[in-house]
């Protein structure tokens, strides 16, 4: 309690009408409030990140002294087919976590908000919304446990279901077949992710002026017409936020891969984050893992900058 | 208008049925987990995962609970998530007070720095953290994980709160100043009480996000005594040693707290999601 006032408290008796008093004391007085956050940021984010970049320029097994090798890790990385494959899989995850949930989320949110909410009552809509949102609250590791067992080749619920309805020939080793494992993982991620855009879009739709929708309806616009020309443009900020946050989340995916497939079979579902984890802790190629993590960071920051630029330009125009 | 609606009558039920089917589909995995968590292993072996259990048997759940000392994991998770939520809200408030109300010089750059910290992949921090924490005896401690996530969550909180604090009514702050309140008193007696709803939302977010964290706790918490619920379950799953009914029992134990939080916090949560969605 005694930290701040000593610095520069403007005497309350002083008539500082011209300059607002809360600023007249100078800004230095507020710097002290940043100290805990800044120290933590330095210790947990800034220094470790700088170290990570440093490590990526060395050969190091985690014990002993790192050997400086310059950009060698990056040179190796860009020639490593496993690394490129992991990024290709990442594109699949962006589709599964950002693109498909956004598209499906728009339709579901509009149907719930504009249709079910108005014709069957808001309670029905919010119960349905809660059902769709439920997978979002699960720890991702738990969601992975649920699905790795449902998708198990022997005794898994999905294959048992296919058998029961006479489609046994469609039964697969969903996570163990290199040709379909990535698609299985994508399916799980769509299930996990869908509720997030639905909830955010429905909240955004409350902002869209109902008069616009009514006008469009009176002009004879179909439901789809109103959806495309009134609802979707009206919640454009939400669509941007969802696309950005989900794409970043997709690039960072680790938990589902760890629990569902461990990057396998034969690397068919490996992603950069799991690839770096493997290099850090399983293969003890720490320098190489750090290089993977650094490239991933650069990619995520570029994506963020790109999205924010596009968003700003849209708002300006 | 009436005719238009009448024409849509069959259609509107089709839409409803479609949405109910979707909601059902989203819930099927939960139902299957519950179904098999209370099934006897022999029953499962004989009738497979889709049959109704012949009798409700919670022994599998009890066995699993005792085998992994699940109570301990719950305590660990609650302790870590609770501490992080409180500390991260405090740090967010302090940062946002300096940035949003104090409007210190270069605040935009500080804000960008926090935003970057929030966006960075944890993969790019994890090895140095692992290494440094070993040096200072924070490796494999719950305190270490609390420290990491306090700033990870506060980075987001700073960003969100700063923008609401910028819009804080200046007249109130000025009035307090004239009455002789110093910066701490303004913060504690005026800013915090007035922004309590937003802080509540942040608290809930931080708690649930930290509860669900997997990657860094997996790396930092190696001993079973310190592990959180998701890490313990994830590690067991990775070992592929559990049979089907035990797996369901473990999944159910992971689901229950999450669903409980969801029900408790649902209102705050949806309101908060909206707050975060539109800048």
């Amino acid at each position: 309690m005694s930290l701040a006032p000593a610095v520069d408290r403007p005497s309350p008796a002083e008539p500082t009408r011209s300059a607002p008093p809360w600023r007249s004391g100078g800004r230095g007085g507020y710097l002290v409030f940043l100290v805990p956050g800044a120290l933590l940021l330095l210790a947990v984010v800034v220094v470790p990140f700088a170290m990570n970049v440093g490590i990526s320029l060395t050969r190091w097994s985690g014990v002993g002294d790192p050997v400086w090798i310059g950009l060698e890790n990056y040179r190796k990385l860009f020639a490593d087919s496993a690394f490129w494959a992991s990024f290709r899989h990442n594109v699949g995850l962006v589709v599964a976590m950002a693109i498909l949930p956004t598209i499906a989320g728009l339709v579901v949110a509009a149907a719930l908000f504009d249709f079910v909410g108005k014709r069957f009552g808001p309670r029905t809509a919010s119960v349905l919304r809660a059902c769709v949102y439920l997978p979002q609250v699960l720890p991702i590791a738990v969601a992975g446990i649920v699905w790795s067992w449902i998708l198990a080749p022997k005794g898994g619920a999905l294959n048992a279901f296919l058998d029961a309805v006479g489609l046994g020939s469609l039964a697969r080793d969903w996570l163990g077949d290199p040709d379909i494992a990535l698609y299985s993982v994508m399916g799980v991620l769509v299930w996990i992710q869908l509720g997030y855009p639905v909830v955010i879009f429905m909240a955004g739709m409350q902002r869209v002026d109902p008069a616009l929708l009514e006008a469009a309806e009176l002009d004879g616009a179909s439901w789809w017409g109103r959806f495309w020309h009134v609802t979707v443009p009206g919640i454009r900020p939400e669509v941007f936020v969802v696309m950005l946050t989900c794409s970043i989340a997709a690039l960072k995916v680790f938990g589902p891969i760890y629990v569902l497939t461990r990057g396998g079979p034969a690397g068919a579902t490996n992603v950069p984050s799991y690839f770096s984890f493997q290099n850090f802790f399983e293969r003890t190629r720490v320098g190489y893992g750090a290089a993977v993590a650094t490239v991933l960071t650069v990619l995520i920051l570029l994506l963020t900058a790109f999205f924010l630029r596009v968003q700003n330009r849209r708002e300006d125009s | 208008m009436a005719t238009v609606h009448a024409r849509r009558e069959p259609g509107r039920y089709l839409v409803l049925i479609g949405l109910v089917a979707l909601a059902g589909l989203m819930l099927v995995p939960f139902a299957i987990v519950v179904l098999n968590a209370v099934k006897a292993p022999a029953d499962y072996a004989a009738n497979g995962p889709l049959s109704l259990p012949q009798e409700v048997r919670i022994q599998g759940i009890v066995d699993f609970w005792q085998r992994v000392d699940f109570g301990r994991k719950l305590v660990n998770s609650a302790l870590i998530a609770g501490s992080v939520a409180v500390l991260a809200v405090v740090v967010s408030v302090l940062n946002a007070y300096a940035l949003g109300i104090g409007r210190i010089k270069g605040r935009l750059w500080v804000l960008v720095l926090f935003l970057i910290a929030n966006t960075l992949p944890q993969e790019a921090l994890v090895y140095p953290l692992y290494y440094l924490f070993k040096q200072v005896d924070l490796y494999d401690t719950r305190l270490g994980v609390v420290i990491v996530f306090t700033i990870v969550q506060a980075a987001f909180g700073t960003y969100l709160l700063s923008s609401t604090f910028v819009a804080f009514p200046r007249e109130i702050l000025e009035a307090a100043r004239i009455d002789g309140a110093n910066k701490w008193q303004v913060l504690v007696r005026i800013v915090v009480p007035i922004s309590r709803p937003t802080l509540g939302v942040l608290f809930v977010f931080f708690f649930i996000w930290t509860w669900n964290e997997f990657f860094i706790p997996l790396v930092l918490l190696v001993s079973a005594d310190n592990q959180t619920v998701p890490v313990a379950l994830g590690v067991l799953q990775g070992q592929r040693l559990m049979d089907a009914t035990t797996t369901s029992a473990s999944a159910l134990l992971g689901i229950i707290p999450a669903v409980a939080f969801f029900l408790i916090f649902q209102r705050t949560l949806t309101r908060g999601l909206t707050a975060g969605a539109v800048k």
Side-chain angles (χ1 to χ4, degrees), chain A residues 168-191:
Chain A
S169 60
L170 288 179
R172 294 279 183 281
D173 184 357
W174 299 103
L175 295 169
D177 181 338
D179 292 333
I180 51 175
L182 184 64
Y183 297 102
S184 304
V185 171
M186 286 169 65
V188 173
L189 290 173
V190 171
W191 177 79

Side-chain angles (χ1 to χ4, degrees), chain A residues 151-177:
Chain A
L151 298 174
K154 275 185 216 143
L158 181 56
N159 281 349
F161 171 77
L162 289 171
D163 270 334
V165 296
L167 291 170
S169 60
L170 288 179
R172 294 279 183 281
D173 184 357
W174 299 103
L175 295 169
D177 181 338

Side-chain angles (χ1 to χ4, degrees), chain A residues 38-108:
Chain A
L39 285 179
L40 277 169
L41 191 72
L42 200 66
V44 176
V45 179
V46 177
V47 169
F49 182 67
M51 281 176 72
N52 186 75
V53 175
I55 293 169
S56 76
L57 304 172
T58 67
R59 185 184 305 118
W60 190 34
S61 68
V63 287
D65 290 328
V67 182
W68 179 268
I69 53 167
L71 292 173
E72 186 56 33
N73 279 327
Y74 292 92
R75 217 167 291 140
K76 248 196 302 182
L77 198 63
F78 289 114
D80 185 345
S81 63
F83 170 74
W84 288 108
S86 74
F87 269 108
R88 270 201 309 280
H89 303 150
N90 238 340
V91 174
L93 300 193
V94 170
V95 171
M97 286 182 72
I99 297 174
L100 292 179
T102 301
I103 295 169
L106 276 172
V107 176
V108 172

Side-chain angles (χ1 to χ4, degrees), chain B residues 85-233:
Chain B
V86 171
L87 292 173
V89 168
V90 170
V91 173
S92 306
V93 168
L94 292 175
N95 286 344
Y97 188 52
L99 297 170
I101 288 177
R103 305 206 174 174
I104 56 162
K105 256 189 199 141
R107 63 180 179 278
L108 190 68
W109 290 109
V110 179
L111 213 55
V112 167
L113 194 64
F114 277 105
L115 195 61
I116 290 176
N118 188 243
T119 327
L120 279 190
Q122 295 175 356
E123 290 76 13
L125 308 175
V126 75
Y127 204 89
L129 284 174
Y130 166 82
Y131 183 81
L132 292 172
F133 277 13
K134 275 193 165 170
Q135 312 287 315
V136 295
D137 288 334
L138 282 171
Y139 176 64
D140 200 14
T141 65
R142 290 168 293 185
L143 177 64
V145 175
V146 169
I147 291 173
V148 171
F149 285 107
T150 294
I151 192 64
V152 169
Q153 313 293 26
F156 175 82
T158 301
Y159 175 66
L160 188 81
L161 269 186
S162 295
S163 56
T164 67
F165 279 9
V166 165
F168 202 89
R170 292 272 143 186
E171 312 79 63
I172 302 180
L173 299 175
E174 191 173 354
R177 270 310 164 85
I178 290 168
D179 288 346
N182 64 35
K183 292 190 179 79
W184 272 102
Q185 290 163 333
V186 170
L187 174 63
V188 173
R189 300 208 189 134
I190 293 169
V191 176
V192 169
I194 289 183
S195 37
R196 187 161 286 157
T198 318
L199 302 186
V201 171
L202 278 184
F203 178 88
V204 172
F205 266 30
F206 294 163
F207 186 90
I208 292 179
W209 288 345
T210 310
W211 184 283
N212 290 350
E213 275 293 340
F214 185 67
F215 182 59
I216 283 189
L218 174 76
V219 171
L220 292 183
L221 301 174
V222 281
S223 63
D225 277 351
N226 293 330
Q227 279 171 352
T228 60
V229 171
V231 172
L233 297 181

